[in-house]
Amino acid sequence: AQHTPRAFEELTLVLGEQKVHLRALIDTGNTLKDPLSNEPVLVADWTAAKALLPDQTFCRSDFENAPELMRRLARQQPELRLRLIPFRSVGVSRGMLLAVRCRAEGRNGRKPVLVAFSPTQVSGHGEYEALTGGAV
């Protein structure tokens, strides 16, 4: 599918002193929400976590077992505001994504956002690194 330039949002995610710049597809089909707060969740490629947490060593498979990764990070960096977000998608009947609270900066200003990290690329051809429904 072709997307117009208006279908994307340029974002900077900030966690502490670390920043990562992402291009997010404004995906009206992304209805992922935190089940506790009902807050929309931004879904980013797992590689964004590498930029936001440079002291950690990650590989894609770490994000396939989000509960174990959360336990590891909680021990190593207890100041992080980590969450597990349950999800379903095409080909995945149920799963969990590791999420962390960040600050998102974009054309609509700054706001706190819950960012979940996908173990697979969110874009098949690399046009974007995140999906946002109502998160930003």
Side-chain angles (χ1 to χ4, degrees):
Q2 295 281 332
H3 299 289
T4 67
R6 292 178 50 161
F8 297 99
E9 169 95 21
E10 299 294 328
L11 297 174
T12 299
L13 298 180
V14 181
L15 182 62
E17 299 295 318
Q18 304 305 316
K19 294 182 180 185
V20 64
H21 302 284
L22 302 174
R23 187 173 199 212
L25 175 67
I26 301 169
D27 181 5
T28 57
N30 175 13
T31 59
L32 187 63
K33 293 187 178 194
D34 177 3
L36 297 177
S37 67
N38 206 34
E39 171 185 1
V41 176
L42 177 82
V43 180
D45 288 345
W46 71 272
T47 54
K50 287 174 67 171
L52 292 171
L53 298 165
D55 294 340
Q56 297 294 326
T57 303
F58 294 122
C59 63
R60 184 188 63 77
S61 62
D62 291 327
F63 292 85
E64 292 174 350
N65 188 347
E68 179 55 37
L69 181 56
M70 182 176 173
R71 280 190 284 278
R72 182 181 102 194
L73 290 174
R75 282 191 307 270
Q76 294 172 354
Q77 290 185 264
E79 72 280 3
L80 293 175
R81 297 175 64 190
L82 300 168
R83 299 291 280 276
L84 290 174
I85 306 294
F87 77 99
R88 290 183 311 195
S89 66
V90 176
V92 180
S93 61
R94 66 180 180 187
M96 300 290 265
L97 297 175
L98 179 71
V100 66
R101 180 146 323 269
C102 296
R103 185 175 76 237
E105 299 173 353
R107 68 175 168 231
N108 294 326
R110 299 177 184 186
K111 71 182 255 185
V113 65
L114 199 53
V115 179
F117 301 106
S118 172
T120 58
Q121 282 188 317
V122 296
S123 168
H125 297 93
E127 303 95 358
Y128 47 90
E129 301 83 27
L131 299 170
T132 181
V136 196

